[in-house]
Amino acid sequence: MSKVAKSETPLRTTFRIRLNGETVSIATVGQAYRFLTEYSKIEWMEFRSLYGDALGLLERAADDAMLTVQATDAVRALFVASKLL
């Protein structure tokens, strides 16, 4: 498992997403990164630019907690566009 996927750096908010009838909570950089990478990239193809931005910022936030605001905003933008939020 990658360093980013193991990151416990908290995001600025906790996302609660309803998926397959269950609520999934995403509160850390690692949880968000795992959520985005567990699904096939094909599923995110429609949102390719937002997906790439979110992953890049999550990777950077795992190394520098000062970037969690930008990472949170990028994840939020992807979730809103994909109608998960």
Side-chain angles (χ1 to χ4, degrees), residues 24 27 37 45 49 52 54 84:
V24 177
T37 57
M45 192 62 104
S49 178
L84 288 174

Side-chain angles (χ1 to χ4, degrees), residues 47-59 70-71 74-75:
F47 313 102
R48 181 178 46 227
S49 178
L50 292 171
Y51 176 77
D53 291 346
L55 282 184
L57 282 163
L58 287 168
E59 289 167 357
Q70 292 89 336
V75 170

